[in-house]
Amino acid sequence: MRAVSTLAAVTLVTVPLLLLPGLVFYYDVTPKVVTLLVVAAAAAALYRPLGRLDWLLGLQAVSLAVATAFSLDPALSVVGSNWRRMGLAAQIALLLLTHVAARAPASRLLRAIAASGGLAAAYGIAQYFGWDPLVPRESYHVGEGFWTIVRPPGTLGHAGYFAVYLLHVASVGLAVASAEEDRRWRRVGAAAAVLALAAVALNGTRAALLGLAAGLAVLMVARRPRLTVRRLAVGVGVVAAVVVFYFSPVGLPLRARTRWFREDPGGGGRLALWSDTLRMAARRWPIGFGPETYSSQFPRFESEELARRFPERYFESPHNIFLDALVSQGVTGLAALAALAGLGLWRLRGSPFLLAGLVASLVANQFVAFTIPTALLFYTTVALGAAEPGPGRRRWMLAPVAAALLAVAVSLAWTDFWLERTRVSLAAGRIDQGAGQYRRLRQLALPGVDTDLWYSRALYAAFAGHPEALQAAERAAARSEQRSNAWYNLAGFYAARNDFPRTEESLRAAMHWAPRWYKPRWMLAQVLEQAGRTAEAEVQARRAVELYPDGPPEIRNIFDRLRARRSVP
C-alpha cells in the first residue's frame, strides 16, 4: 500500500509543477507526460483488480483502444498532438493512475495536491505581478499599451487550463483545512485554498469563474452554513478588498480582461464551434475519428460562419470535454466519461468540499479541453470518491502495457530533447550542426510525433537552400497533425522553386483538408494568374474574399485586378 500511495503522491506533485525550459522544446508538456508515462508503467506492475471503478476504467480503455485502431491517423492517436499529448498512451496512463489513486490513502493524496497546488498558485500570482524566471512574459501578455491583459498560465502553459486546475486545488485545500488532524497540514490546506482562489481571480478565465460560482453554490447547499455577524463581516471585507484591488492601478489587467469580455461575449464562437463539432461527430458516432485527430479533421467540417468570424483561428479541440470524447471515441467514450463523472458525484456526496470541486471542474471543462494536469486532477477526484480496498492478487497481465508506456516515454523525451538542441543550433546559425541533431532526433521518433512542419520552416529561415527543408516539408504534408497547414507550407516551398504544377497540387490538397480556409485559395489565385488561367484565378480570389471579407486589402486587390482584367474587351 505504501508503494501505491507513494506513486500516486509523486505524480500529483510533479506532473502539475514540472517545467523544463531550455532542456526540451515543449517544456510545459513533455516533462509532464513523460513523468506520467513512467509512473504509470510502475503502476501497471502493482495492478490489483478493484470493483465498479475498474469496470468503468476498463470501458474507457477499450473505447480508446478501438477508437485508435480505427482512427483516421492511428500513429497520431497513439502519441497525441504536440500541444497536449493526450493520445492513447497518455490516457491509458491516466486510467492506470486513477486505479492506483482509488487504492491509496486519501489523506496522502489530498496533502500532495494541496502542497503542489499551493506552490503552483503562488507562481501564477507572481506572474500576474511581473515576476517570472521561467516562462517568457510575452507568451501570456495579450494586447499592447494601456489595455494589456495579463493571463498567468502558471506551470500549465495556458491560462485556461491553469484556472481549471486551480479549482481542484481550492477544493482540496478546503478539505485538508477542515479535516486534517495535523495542525501544520491544516495550515497548508488553508493557504493552498486562499492562494488558488486568488490565482483564479487574477487569471480571469471565464470558464473557471463560472465553475467557481457553481462549486460555491453546491457548497452552500451541502453545508448550509448559518449566517452570523462574523461571517457577514468577513464576506463584506473580502468583497471590499476585491473591489479596491480591481479599481487600483495593479487591477488594470483585470479591467482590461473585463473589457475583453464585453467585446467577445460569445467566448470565441463556442456555440458555432460546438454545432460544427456535433455535425462532425455524427459522421463517425460509433467509434469517433480517433484520439487527438481533431485538429487535422475538424477544418473539413468547419462551417462558413465560423470560418468567416475567425479566419485565422486554429481550433485544436472542441473546447468541451464531453464533445472531445464523443468526436474522438464515439458514443462509448462519451458514455464512459459521463459514467465516471457520475460515479464521482454520487460517491462524493459525503465530502462537500471535494464534491464542490468536482462540480466546479465539470462546469469549467464544458469550455476547455482536458490536458494532462487537469485530467489527472479530475480522475483523482473521482477516485477519491470511489476509493476501494485492493483485496485482489497482483496481476502481471499489464506488463506489456508497462513496457509500451516506457517506450513511448523514452521516445518523447529523446525527440523533444534533440528538437530543442536543433532549435538552439539553427537560431545561432549553426546549420550543419542543427541538421545533424535533427537527424539524430529521427532515430527514435515515433511515427505520430509531428516535428517536420516546424523543422522545415526553421531550417528554411536559417538557410533557404538546404535540401532537408523541402524533405521535411514533404514528410509533414503526409502526416502532420495540422494537415492543411502542412500542405500550405509545402506549396510555399514549391513556389520558391517555380514548380507551379506541384504548387497548385499542394494548394488544392490544403483546400481539401480545409475547404473554408481563405489562404490557400488566395495563394492559388496568384499561381493561376501567373499561369494565364485568369477565369480560374478569379473564382479562387472571389472565394478568398468571401471567406475573409474584412481581411487585408491585398486579398481584395487581386480579386479586383482579375475582375477588371476580365471586363477589358
Side-chain angles (χ1 to χ4, degrees):
M1 183 66 73
R2 180 174 296 179
V4 169
S5 60
T6 299
L7 280 177
V10 166
T11 308
L12 291 169
V13 170
T14 56
V15 168
L17 292 179
L18 269 179
L19 288 174
L20 296 176
L23 183 63
V24 292
F25 188 86
Y26 295 102
Y27 60 86
D28 56 347
V29 175
T30 300
K32 301 178 189 304
V33 71
V34 168
T35 301
L36 180 80
L37 292 170
V38 171
V39 175
L46 299 173
Y47 174 74
R48 296 176 186 270
L50 292 178
R52 188 176 304 170
L53 176 64
D54 260 9
W55 283 104
L56 292 179
L57 296 177
L59 177 63
Q60 183 74 295
V62 169
S63 171
L64 285 163
V66 171
T68 300
F70 291 94
S71 170
L72 297 186
D73 192 341
L76 174 60
S77 290
V78 170
V79 298
S81 57
N82 289 330
W83 72 276
R84 64 171 178 171
R85 289 280 176 241
M86 284 283 286
L88 173 68
Q91 294 202 53
I92 292 296
L94 283 167
L95 298 179
L96 279 168
L97 287 168
T98 305
H99 166 88
V100 169
R103 294 175 50 217
S107 61
R108 192 167 188 182
L109 302 188
L110 294 174
R111 288 176 176 182
I113 295 171
S116 60
L119 291 174
Y123 179 49
I125 293 171
Q127 287 177 322
Y128 178 89
F129 288 104
W131 182 84
D132 193 342
L134 298 176
V135 180
R137 285 185 289 179
E138 58 270 16
S139 66
Y140 54 89
H141 284 227
V142 183
E144 297 179 357
F146 186 78
W147 291 112
T148 298
I149 299 169
V150 180
R151 300 194 63 200
T155 55
L156 271 67
H158 187 278
Y161 311 126
F162 182 49
V164 174
Y165 163 76
L166 291 171
L167 294 176
H168 287 286
V169 174
S171 68
V172 168
L174 291 172
V176 171
S178 65
E180 267 287 346
E181 296 180 0
D182 190 318
R183 181 180 299 178
R184 292 170 299 179
W185 279 108
R186 287 203 300 271
R187 291 173 179 171
V188 170
V194 171
L195 289 170
L197 291 172
V200 168
L202 295 176
N203 179 281
T205 296
R206 283 176 284 187
L209 294 173
L210 183 61
L212 180 60
L216 288 174
V218 169
L219 196 58
M220 292 298 103
V221 172
R223 291 181 64 88
R224 294 186 177 89
R226 291 191 308 162
L227 183 62
T228 64
V229 174
R230 180 180 178 182
R231 287 175 177 171
L232 181 61
V234 170
V236 171
V238 170
V239 171
V242 169
V243 171
V244 169
F245 181 90
Y246 180 82
F247 287 103
S248 70
V250 291
L252 179 59
L254 287 180
R255 299 200 296 278
R257 179 69 172 148
T258 304
R259 180 170 174 261
W260 188 2
F261 290 169
R262 293 197 299 267
E263 293 176 351
D264 180 25
R270 286 288 198 278
L271 293 178
L273 176 63
W274 295 340
S275 175
D276 292 349
T277 300
L278 285 171
R279 186 160 45 84
M280 173 184 175
R283 295 288 293 272
R284 285 173 65 95
W285 63 267
I287 55 174
F289 287 78
E292 292 281 64
T293 58
Y294 189 87
S295 57
S296 64
Q297 300 299 324
F298 175 73
R300 297 192 294 127
F301 299 90
E302 183 180 13
S303 63
E304 193 157 319
E305 174 198 356
L306 189 62
R308 284 178 174 174
R309 289 181 61 190
F310 304 98
E312 302 284 2
R313 183 72 60 85
Y314 165 65
F315 294 103
E316 76 288 341
S317 81
H319 295 278
N320 179 292
I321 59 171
F322 291 116
L323 285 179
D324 202 359
L326 175 63
V327 80
S328 299
Q329 302 165 238
V331 292
T332 307
L334 172 62
L337 180 60
L340 283 167
L343 178 63
L345 292 171
W346 178 255
R347 292 286 189 88
L348 288 170
R349 300 189 315 280
S351 305
F353 291 116
L354 296 182
L355 176 64
L358 185 57
V359 169
S361 169
L362 281 170
V363 171
N365 275 311
Q366 302 315 297
F367 304 93
V368 296
F370 270 151
T371 60
I372 295 294
T374 59
L376 176 63
L377 267 289
F378 172 84
Y379 281 117
T380 300
T381 304
V382 170
L384 288 169
E388 302 179 48
R393 297 177 58 187
R394 183 176 299 176
R395 303 288 180 84
W396 294 99
M397 58 184 165
L398 294 183
V401 174
L405 294 179
L406 283 176
V408 174
V410 169
S411 176
L412 290 178
W414 172 276
T415 301
D416 224 34
F417 175 81
W418 286 109
L419 191 62
E420 175 64 9
R421 305 282 78 70
T422 302
R423 182 194 68 80
V424 172
S425 296
L426 294 182
R430 300 189 295 270
I431 310 302
D432 291 337
Q433 181 178 345
Q437 290 167 332
Y438 192 77
R439 287 193 292 271
R440 193 167 186 179
L441 172 157
R442 296 187 64 207
Q443 293 174 356
L444 291 183
L446 292 170
V449 176
D450 179 17
T451 57
D452 284 324
L453 181 57
W454 173 86
Y455 179 61
S456 67
R457 292 169 171 172
L459 185 56
Y460 185 86
F463 179 29
H466 202 291
E468 290 188 18
L470 176 59
Q471 295 169 12
E474 290 173 335
R475 290 194 301 268
R479 64 188 188 190
S480 173
E481 64 193 58
Q482 302 179 48
R483 201 63 59 85
S484 56
N485 201 358
W487 278 109
Y488 182 79
N489 175 67
L490 181 59
F493 276 87
Y494 287 140
R497 293 168 170 254
N498 293 321
D499 188 341
F500 291 109
R502 289 187 177 180
T503 302
E504 179 182 356
E505 179 185 346
S506 299
L507 290 171
R508 292 194 183 278
M511 290 160 53
H512 165 77
W513 286 98
R516 283 159 285 279
W517 186 24
Y518 79 94
K519 271 190 177 180
R521 296 183 182 277
W522 178 32
M523 185 175 177
L524 182 58
Q526 299 172 67
V527 171
L528 293 173
E529 182 186 22
Q530 291 189 36
R533 296 155 62 182
T534 307
E536 295 177 67
E538 184 183 347
V539 170
Q540 296 301 331
R542 178 187 294 109
R543 190 68 176 129
V545 171
E546 290 172 352
L547 292 171
Y548 198 3
D550 299 323
E554 293 83 359
I555 300 175
R556 180 167 290 278
N557 288 345
I558 185 174
F559 172 61
D560 292 340
R561 183 173 69 246
L562 289 166
R563 185 173 54 178
R565 183 179 300 176
R566 178 173 54 85
S567 64
V568 175

